[in-house]
Amino acid sequence: MQRFMLILFIASELCYYLLIAQTGIVEYFSSDLFLIAPLPIGGVIGSLLVSYINIENKNKIFIFLIIQLMMSFVYPNFNLITLFILGIAVGSLAPLIINEVKKTSLVELGLALSISYVVGTFLFNYEVSNRGFIAIFLTIITLVTTLFLPNLPNKKESNTTSHSLLIMVLWVFLDSALFESLSRDTTISIWRDGFTMEIALFHIIGVFCALYFNIEKNQKELLILTLFALSYLFYFLREGFILAFIYPFVISYYNVVILQSIRKKDFKTITLYMIFIGWLASGGGLFVALSNLILFVPVTLLVAIIRVITKDYLSNQTKEVKYV
């Protein structure tokens, strides 16, 4: 029972972030950066402060979920103050959720992510102004499951590798810039063009490929960057059908890699990582999309691919020298 509740807990809050904080509010306010600015500002402050509150994490989760629920009743009629308060709640919950991920097994993590991606995909086309009941329902689910969360973490898997903060920030930036551009593009939108089943399926495939197929660190980074390069290529070519397979796969894949890297960190480090990954990188991607600068993103992507290839080559050369 506790394991099932843990899966629902993670999945429902991730759905809330996707459908409400990431897409619902941004679209409702017509992507006006000035109007939505209190949300990420509150998010950064929340992520910073949550580690300094001296109560049990379970109580922190409950308190911030109550605040999130109160703000969900306001949705979508936010003002600068209520957006700021919601940002504090979501920003505080993000590292707390990641901390709970430490308790999951590979199967449980895969199920939680798969549920969140599938539900998010099927509800993505729901009118943003009418998502208030979704926000309330998801928060209530998360609140109820909080009461049944297991207390002790599972033994961490020993076969995962940690990736640098810089490369993870880059992945989120690349994803955010493409996602925000794609969701606003009237000529191609894989979520609105009848590819819902394909997107959901390849989200699931991406999750379990990342969990169960182990490859070296540099090769994994190169794979993710290559998949992003292909996603951008097919976006520019307006090939929605192919994009509906590749893009959901790489989203799921790199998010699993990030979670596996971050879950090893202590709680204060997780809060700092979430500021850079969850707010600054995604905010930078949104700015690029709104400023129509996405054509310049492949340059950054190319530099990153060359750097990873070079690093991999030098690493192999070093290994060869050691064996000689």
Side-chain angles (χ1 to χ4, degrees):
M1 180 68 171
Q2 283 186 322
R3 315 310 303 179
F4 176 70
M5 289 298 180
L6 178 60
I7 292 170
L8 279 184
F9 170 79
I10 296 170
S12 57
E13 188 59 23
L14 290 177
C15 281
Y16 186 96
Y17 181 80
L18 172 64
L19 294 170
I20 306 302
Q22 184 179 4
T23 59
I25 292 173
V26 174
E27 287 190 34
Y28 184 79
F29 285 97
S30 303
S31 303
D32 189 316
L33 291 176
F34 176 78
L35 292 178
I36 63 177
L39 179 68
I41 292 173
V44 171
I45 293 174
S47 295
L48 280 173
L49 294 181
V50 68
S51 61
Y52 295 97
I53 301 175
N54 293 320
I55 59 175
E56 291 184 5
N57 282 349
K58 198 169 184 178
N59 293 331
K60 293 180 189 179
I61 292 170
F62 193 82
I63 290 171
F64 287 114
L65 281 174
I66 291 294
I67 297 173
Q68 180 177 291
L69 180 61
M70 294 169 60
M71 294 302 100
S72 295
F73 280 103
V74 177
Y75 183 93
N77 302 308
F78 292 106
N79 55 36
L80 296 180
I81 296 175
T82 51
L83 267 182
F84 179 74
I85 294 173
L86 178 64
I88 289 178
V90 175
S92 299
L93 285 167
L96 289 167
I97 299 295
I98 301 299
N99 202 53
E100 292 300 308
V101 169
K102 293 178 180 180
K103 301 176 182 179
T104 61
S105 65
L106 288 180
V107 173
E108 290 163 350
L109 177 58
L111 287 174
L113 291 173
S114 296
I115 291 171
S116 66
Y117 284 130
V118 170
V119 172
T121 299
F122 278 94
L123 293 179
F124 184 83
N125 289 329
Y126 202 89
E127 176 59 41
V128 294
S129 60
N130 296 327
R131 291 184 187 177
F133 81 94
I134 296 177
I136 295 169
F137 181 69
L138 289 174
T139 306
I140 289 175
I141 290 178
T142 314
L143 263 171
V144 172
T145 55
T146 301
L147 304 174
F148 302 94
L149 292 178
N151 293 319
L152 297 175
N154 283 358
K155 184 179 179 180
K156 297 177 186 178
E157 64 271 24
S158 58
N159 59 346
T160 58
T161 55
S162 293
H163 298 265
S164 70
L165 176 60
L166 181 61
I167 192 70
M168 292 189 288
V169 166
L170 176 62
W171 294 339
V172 175
F173 169 77
L174 292 171
D175 181 17
S176 180
L178 182 55
F179 176 83
E180 300 295 350
S181 298
L182 186 58
S183 61
R184 289 166 176 76
D185 198 319
T186 57
T187 62
I188 174 175
S189 176
I190 58 176
W191 296 280
R192 299 184 177 96
D193 290 344
F195 301 122
T196 300
M197 294 300 297
E198 290 86 349
I199 293 170
L201 175 61
F202 275 83
H203 269 309
I204 296 172
I205 293 174
V207 167
F208 285 96
C209 282
L211 287 172
Y212 290 105
F213 290 96
N214 296 316
I215 58 178
E216 291 185 7
K217 176 181 175 181
N218 289 343
Q219 293 174 344
K220 189 175 293 184
E221 292 177 358
L222 182 59
L223 173 63
I224 293 171
L225 290 174
T226 301
L227 290 172
F228 267 123
L230 290 173
S231 298
Y232 273 86
L233 173 63
F234 289 115
Y235 170 67
F236 292 134
L237 293 176
R238 295 297 187 265
E239 290 289 344
F241 178 72
I242 302 176
L243 188 61
F245 293 89
I246 297 175
Y247 185 41
F249 180 92
V250 68
I251 291 175
S252 300
Y253 192 97
Y254 91 80
N255 273 302
V256 170
V257 174
I258 285 179
L259 285 175
Q260 288 181 313
S261 293
I262 296 180
R263 69 189 291 179
K264 300 177 180 180
K265 311 296 182 181
D266 62 88
F267 186 67
K268 284 191 176 182
T269 303
I270 291 174
T271 62
L272 294 175
Y273 270 52
M274 291 311 300
I275 290 172
F276 286 96
I277 295 172
W279 296 105
L280 299 182
S282 58
L286 176 60
F287 175 79
V288 165
L290 297 181
S291 303
N292 295 317
L293 298 173
I294 193 169
L295 287 173
F296 296 97
V297 175
V299 177
T300 303
L301 187 51
L302 178 61
V303 171
I305 290 175
I306 293 173
R307 182 180 180 278
V308 172
I309 292 175
T310 303
K311 185 170 66 172
D312 188 49
Y313 174 77
L314 293 175
S315 176
N316 290 334
Q317 290 293 104
T318 303
K319 290 179 182 177
E320 291 178 5
V321 170
K322 286 182 178 179
Y323 285 119
V324 172

